[in-house]
């Protein structure tokens, strides 16, 4: 999103010859102010959505859909959002997509992931949580950085190729969520 935003604000406020431009990004002073305001608005919108959904919606969704379907909800939303961004690679579509993904990750995915640990022993919980947090979270961020770095020359290449990686990851997460939902039901039924 940052790349699209920089391109957007560079086009809106181009760096003129003889003008002092911000860093290596080549943004004019007005462009860098617009970019900073945009990123600030993004942070506020994302955190507001996360807070409101956590406060009003997380437990209601889990109660209404059950854990198995709630586990499937986040990766399915990810897949839908990725397909939407791939179809309409506009800054404001990406803004909304990123806001939804971050907000639902904090408010929906993380709480349901924590519920999965309830039927396990403390030792299993400690080991699996550490592995997931270290390998899963850091590994996915590293993979995202590799993809971003590989296609950072062009926003359209990044959206086109990065979305293919996102589709593959979201598809794997859907498979994994189905498996984990079945296992959770199996363990809670057996005591």
């Amino acid at each position: 999103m940052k790349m699209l935003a920089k391109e957007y604000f560079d086009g809106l406020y181009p760096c003129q010859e003889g003008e002092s431009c911000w860093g290596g990004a080549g943004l004019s002073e007005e462009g860098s102010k617009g970019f900073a305001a945009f990123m600030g608005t993004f942070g506020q919108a994302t955190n507001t959505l996360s807070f409101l959904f956590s406060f009003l919606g997380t437990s209601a969704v889990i109660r209404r859909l059950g854990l198995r379907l709630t586990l499937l909800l986040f990766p399915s939303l990810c897949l839908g959002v990725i397909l939407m961004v791939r179809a309409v690679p506009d800054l404001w579509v990406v803004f909304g997509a990123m806001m939804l993904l971050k907000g639902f990750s904090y408010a929906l995915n993380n709480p349901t992931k924590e519920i999965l640990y309830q039927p396990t022993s403390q030792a299993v919980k400690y080991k699996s949580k550490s592995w997931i947090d270290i390998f899963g979270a850091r590994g996915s961020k590293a993979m995202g950085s590799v993809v971003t770095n590989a296609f950072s020359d062009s926003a359209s290449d990044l959206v086109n190729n990065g979305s293919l990686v996102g589709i593959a990851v979201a598809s794997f997460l859907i498979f994994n969520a189905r498996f984990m939902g079945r296992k959770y039901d199996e363990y809670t039924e057996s005591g």
Side-chain angles (χ1 to χ4, degrees):
M1 182 172 75
K2 287 181 182 178
M3 178 182 274
L4 287 172
K6 285 180 181 176
E7 283 185 8
Y8 175 81
F9 287 104
D10 185 42
L12 201 58
Y13 306 105
C15 187
Q16 303 297 324
E17 190 175 322
E19 184 180 16
S20 175
C21 293
W22 176 63
L27 289 175
S28 66
E29 187 175 335
E30 288 299 314
S32 64
K33 286 179 185 177
F35 176 76
F38 174 82
M39 294 307 293
T41 302
F42 171 73
Q44 291 171 348
T46 300
N47 290 323
T48 300
L49 176 69
S50 297
F51 173 75
L52 290 175
F53 191 74
S54 294
F55 191 66
L56 302 171
T58 302
S59 61
V61 169
I62 293 171
R63 273 194 313 274
R64 186 168 184 93
L65 297 178
L67 186 68
R68 184 186 272 186
L69 287 177
T70 305
L71 280 170
L72 284 169
L73 188 59
F74 180 72
S76 299
L77 287 170
C78 283
L79 184 60
V81 164
I82 291 166
L83 292 172
M84 181 180 63
V85 168
R86 188 168 169 80
V88 186
D90 177 69
L91 176 63
W92 299 105
V93 171
V94 174
F95 178 93
M98 292 297 295
M99 187 180 75
L100 288 173
L101 287 177
K102 286 183 179 276
F104 287 139
S105 174
Y106 296 133
L108 186 65
N109 189 51
N110 291 345
T112 54
K113 191 172 58 172
E114 293 298 320
I115 291 172
L116 290 175
Y117 297 121
Q118 289 178 348
T120 62
S121 68
Q122 285 292 355
V124 169
K125 179 180 180 178
Y126 177 76
K127 289 176 184 175
S128 62
K129 192 167 173 37
S130 297
W131 191 87
I132 289 168
D133 290 346
I134 292 168
F135 178 77
R138 299 298 165 232
S140 63
K141 285 185 179 187
M143 185 174 73
S145 295
V146 167
V147 170
T148 301
N149 191 39
F151 302 109
S152 62
D153 294 340
S154 164
S156 64
D157 286 348
L158 182 59
V159 169
N160 290 331
N161 297 314
S163 65
L164 294 176
V165 174
I167 289 168
V169 170
S171 299
F172 170 75
L173 289 175
I174 290 170
F175 169 78
N176 191 40
R178 288 185 66 214
F179 175 78
M180 293 307 294
R182 278 194 222 117
K183 283 293 184 186
Y184 178 83
D185 287 346
E186 189 179 298
Y187 288 146
T188 54
E189 287 171 7
S190 68

